[in-house]
Amino acid sequence: MSTAAPPRRALLLANPKARNGGAGLDEIRAILRGGGIAPFEPPENSDCSDTIRRHASACDLVILGGGDGTMNAGAAGLVETGLPLGILPLGTANDLARSLGLPLDPAAAARLITTAEPRPVDLGWVNGHYYFNVASIGFSAELAGDLTAESKKAWGTLGYGIAAIRVLRRVRPFTVTIEHDGTVEKVTTIQVSVGNGRHYGGGMTVEEGAAVDDGLLDFYSLEIAHWWRLIALLPALRRGTQGQSSDVRAFKTTEIVLRTRKPRPVNTDGELTTHTPAHFKVMPGALRIFAPSRAEQAAAQSAASRLLPL
């Protein structure tokens, strides 16, 4: 006589400050239970990675509900414990979820966690801090400093544009020394970015062929002469084709060091976490996330394109 497998225990942490942090959690809990996952939510409100470490022995997986900042906050705990991650996209941009081909509807994302296999993904690493999407110095770091949780909750992805206009008026070029693959270059730029995933910043693309599991970092530097050139580059930045422009330096690597004359903040997944000098590395297959395979993503994209009107 066969017996049903016991439910998998899931540590469920939802960020109440995320844009949709309180939305539909009762429905999500019911979906998880119906799919053989028993979620539990500890009462403490402490550091995300510390909470994961504290409850690691009591669970089979971790489910984080929030935006990219929430995922970033849990990365260290996930790497140290080896627990697989399920994502509920409750944030403003949800760039990691989009890079992985996850449903952006939280209920649909919960259903996927109950059926998908965890797949290995890379992490970026800078000065001891992990990140999923992109790390930037310059314009994007200033933007992260200006973009408050309140504005993201009130305006959604439009908040990025509003803050960008404010920052654009005061952005100034700076000099950065780039060390990678046995070369050293000194350039003047308004932003350097080191991407691990594909999407970032509420709709931007690091590089059109980038993937969160390709074992590579995608670097680009905006070496533009006038601020209005950044506006002209926006379509390319959204597509990930900015590297084709003559005033954008772009390459792939696995390790890079960036130095500036004065320490400058580094923005990792929307949070200011460290300063230059900044040592970056890719950490291949550092953790596992419940997500469609690359083949499943490609099939879904192909099906969606066939449904588009001519």
Side-chain angles (χ1 to χ4, degrees), residues 58-138:
C59 63
D60 303 296
L61 66 149
V62 174
I63 299 175
L64 295 182
D68 296 303
T70 302
M71 307 306 144
N72 188 294
L78 291 164
V79 171
E80 290 174 32
T81 61
L83 289 166
L85 169 65
I87 295 175
L88 300 175
L90 303 178
T92 303
N94 301 306
D95 289 306
L96 176 60
R98 294 192 302 118
S99 291
L100 290 165
L102 299 179
L104 297 184
D105 172 66
R111 292 187 191 94
L112 183 139
I113 295 169
T114 68
T115 59
E117 292 294 324
R119 59 179 263 207
V121 302
D122 308 334
L123 283 174
W125 178 97
V126 54
N127 293 355
H129 300 271
Y130 294 111
Y131 65 94
F132 287 95
N133 301 325
V134 71
S136 297
I137 301 164

Side-chain angles (χ1 to χ4, degrees), residues 7 16 36 73 127 136 168 177-178 230 235 288:
N127 293 355
S136 297
L168 192 58
T177 301
I178 307 166
L230 182 59
R288 294 172 296 145

Side-chain angles (χ1 to χ4, degrees), residues 194-223:
V194 185
N196 172 66
R198 180 174 173 81
H199 298 295
Y200 71 101
M204 301 295 136
T205 303
V206 178
E207 199 275 333
E208 59 180 341
V212 75
D213 59 356
D214 61 5
L216 294 169
L217 299 172
D218 289 275
F219 173 91
Y220 75 80
S221 169
L222 301 178
E223 297 164 19

Side-chain angles (χ1 to χ4, degrees), residues 127 136-138 141-142 174-177 192 258-267 272-278:
N127 293 355
S136 297
I137 301 164
E142 292 188 42
F174 62 97
T175 300
V176 60
T177 301
V192 290
L258 301 176
R259 305 182 191 277
T260 54
R261 188 170 62 86
K262 295 180 179 179
R264 298 186 69 97
V266 180
N267 165 21
L272 300 180
T273 52
T274 185
H275 290 79
T276 55

